[in-house]
Amino acid sequence: MTPLLMSWRCVPCCRSGLSWCVTRMITQTVLRGVHKKNKKKLINHSPAASWEERLSDVCTPLWRMEYKEQLKYKLEALQKVLRDLCLTVKERGGQLPDYNGLFCLLQEVLPSPVIYGYRNKSTFSVNLGPNGDPKTVGNYVGNERDRSIVCVRTDHLLNIPVKHKLVAKCYEDYIRQSPLPPCLHFRDEGHWHEIIVRTNSNGDVMAIFTFYTKHLPQDKVLSHILSLKEYFTHGPGSVCNLTSLYCQQKNPATNQISPPLLLHGSPHLTERVLGLDLRVSPTTFLQINTPGAELLYTALGNLVKNRSKSILFDVCCGTGVIGLSLAGQFQEVVGIELVDDAVCDAQWNMTFNGVENCQFLVGRAEKLLPKLLSERNNTEHVVAVVNPPRAGLRKTKL
């Protein structure tokens, strides 16, 4: 399965209201509604299905389809959602422009330039495998509600790069020879937990592992962490050729997790997106498919041409890549982001790339936007682009 290029809320707007919008709610509704209705068609529920097939169904549910079929399916799913939204609005007395029965204008789905191994970030969990080994590194199959989770290796998944799989395999090899138990899901014990792998287009690799410290004195914690560092830098794990290795410590008793601690290599990766050099920290959000993101940002730029006297609000801006990539088309760009580290990265990216008409603010969009809009002249034209987190946007009146 290949990615559905992320859906956005891109909103040219004035003080009087929004002229049009395409919201992430569409994607969420597709996943919850249309996909749920078609789930039996997409997922093989046969008891004879292998663990690998089950994991593919969970992580890449369209993997059995040819890519053209996937795009067609996604387009039809979006059309149905927009048609249902249009009917709902009209039933409640609302008035809408005519878009052939759809809630808003819908363009064709753009195919991804990269179909396989496109992920620049993968998270691997540790839990009981199909053979009962509690030190299996992979992704989950099963149901958290009835605690039937099984951890399956990801070697066969089409969307995960080879370098990510190699780090996961080496991590599994290490924790299996470690005397410490893993920290299993639903259990308040053990120490070895998940590992996150990040890569860039240059092939650099960053790994961030999480270690639970409960019931271990600090000198023992340090000893095991340094042992893993030695394994990845000078031992069998050095085959991964890590550019960066980080550790996060977590105490289940307090549920507090420490900031990532650099054990080896460079503190950041650098990714080039549409001519911009972007700093990638351990906690940085970056679109999971970099070539697909470039295609998406280019399409977005085409939607907001001739805005040299307008102001762009990049809401939920993350590291600022959207605002920075569009800065040349606007008089001013204002990015709003809740995560401090992301704003630090955005400011670094702005300075490093020589962009001068941007500012990035830390805070909740629903609190900052009303104040920022009230400070603007009512004659100023404002454009907003929103790429919210997975949970979507809060219901807020501006």
Side-chain angles (χ1 to χ4, degrees):
M1 175 191 176
T2 54
L4 167 61
L5 293 185
M6 297 67 67
S7 49
W8 301 83
R9 167 176 285 188
C10 178
V11 184
C13 64
C14 299
R15 299 299 181 276
S16 58
L18 308 180
S19 57
W20 62 271
C21 66
V22 179
T23 72
R24 187 175 176 118
M25 177 181 66
I26 295 171
T27 298
Q28 294 170 326
T29 308
V30 170
L31 294 176
R32 295 171 185 168
V34 177
H35 178 66
K36 187 175 181 180
K37 293 179 181 178
N38 292 298
K39 198 171 183 181
K40 292 183 179 179
K41 298 179 182 179
L42 298 176
I43 296 181
N44 183 0
H45 293 282
S46 169
S50 68
W51 286 107
E52 289 75 19
E53 288 176 313
R54 297 181 196 182
L55 184 62
S56 294
D57 289 335
V58 171
C59 297
T60 54
L62 303 183
W63 68 280
R64 289 183 173 86
M65 294 183 180
E66 294 293 331
Y67 188 45
K68 288 184 179 179
E69 294 179 25
Q70 294 181 29
L71 299 182
K72 182 174 181 290
Y73 170 82
K74 293 168 183 177
L75 180 62
E76 291 175 349
L78 289 169
Q79 288 172 336
K80 185 181 187 310
V81 172
L82 292 175
R83 198 173 294 114
D84 291 345
L85 287 172
C86 186
L87 291 173
T88 300
V89 170
K90 289 182 177 179
E91 287 173 358
R92 297 182 180 181
Q95 296 182 350
L96 294 170
D98 183 13
Y99 293 110
N100 295 321
L102 302 182
F103 181 76
C104 63
L105 182 64
L106 178 64
Q107 299 180 353
E108 290 292 318
V109 177
L110 300 176
S112 171
V114 180
I115 298 179
Y116 302 114
Y118 58 81
R119 294 187 66 92
N120 55 41
K121 178 183 177 182
S122 301
T123 301
F124 300 97
S125 301
V126 179
N127 217 299
L128 294 168
N131 63 354
D133 193 321
K135 292 184 176 180
T136 300
V137 176
N139 290 165
Y140 289 155
V141 172
N143 192 325
E144 290 197 25
R145 186 174 301 174
D146 57 17
R147 301 195 173 190
S148 62
I149 282 179
V150 175
C151 192
V152 181
R153 290 176 179 169
T154 62
D155 299 341
H156 65 290
L157 290 184
L158 301 177
N159 60 344
I160 297 181
V162 172
K163 288 190 175 184
H164 294 203
K165 296 173 183 177
L166 179 60
V167 174
K169 177 64 170 62
C170 288
Y171 185 60
E172 181 182 88
D173 289 345
Y174 177 82
I175 65 174
R176 284 188 172 181
Q177 57 89 34
S178 168
L180 295 181
C183 182
L184 302 182
H185 207 36
F186 309 119
R187 300 186 187 180
D188 188 20
E189 58 187 21
H191 302 283
W192 300 115
H193 196 45
E194 70 180 20
I195 187 167
I196 297 171
V197 185
R198 309 193 70 150
T199 48
N200 62 10
S201 54
N202 292 331
D204 299 324
V205 184
M206 175 187 289
I208 310 106
F209 69 92
T210 302
F211 186 86
Y212 276 56
T213 61
K214 191 173 183 182
H215 303 315
L216 273 184
Q218 191 57 36
D219 62 326
K220 293 292 185 182
V221 170
L222 182 60
S223 173
H224 287 288
I225 288 175
L226 292 179
S227 175
L228 181 61
K229 172 189 172 182
E230 179 68 17
Y231 171 83
F232 271 114
T233 54
H234 298 102
S238 61
V239 67
C240 299
N241 195 25
L242 295 184
T243 308
S244 309
L245 177 63
Y246 277 90
C247 171
Q248 287 186 303
Q249 297 182 40
K250 186 172 183 179
N251 188 337
T254 61
N255 206 32
Q256 291 182 338
I257 191 165
S258 67
L261 173 66
L262 180 65
L263 301 177
H264 163 76
S266 172
H268 309 99
L269 301 183
T270 301
E271 183 60 281
R272 192 162 182 83
V273 179
L274 293 180
L276 296 168
D277 290 314
L278 305 176
R279 186 171 76 173
V280 181
S281 303
T283 57
T284 295
F285 171 78
L286 199 65
Q287 297 294 345
I288 217 72
N289 178 350
T290 302
E294 290 185 311
L295 186 65
L296 184 62
Y297 300 153
T298 300
L300 182 60
N302 291 333
L303 291 174
V304 292
K305 284 183 176 179
N306 303 317
R307 305 282 180 175
S308 59
K309 295 184 179 179
S310 300
I311 299 166
L312 174 67
F313 282 99
D314 184 1
V315 185
C316 307
C317 68
T319 56
V321 59
I322 299 174
L324 292 170
S325 67
L326 299 177
Q329 299 178 223
F330 288 86
Q331 178 180 332
E332 180 186 357
V333 175
V334 180
I336 301 172
E337 169 60 45
L338 182 62
V339 180
D340 289 12
D341 289 346
V343 172
C344 290
D345 282 337
Q347 292 169 339
W348 186 94
N349 292 334
M350 176 184 67
T351 302
F352 186 81
N353 289 281
V355 180
E356 298 180 349
N357 63 332
C358 294
Q359 61 171 317
F360 296 97
L361 307 175
V362 179
R364 293 190 177 277
E366 58 268 31
K367 293 185 178 180
L368 290 180
L369 270 177
K371 182 176 184 296
L372 291 169
L373 289 171
S374 68
E375 294 171 351
R376 303 287 170 177
N377 189 315
N378 285 334
T379 61
E380 290 179 312
H381 192 266
V382 173
V383 176
V385 57
V386 182
N387 180 28
R390 188 171 299 176
L393 297 172
R394 292 174 176 268
K395 296 181 178 179
T396 304
K397 293 182 179 180
L398 297 181

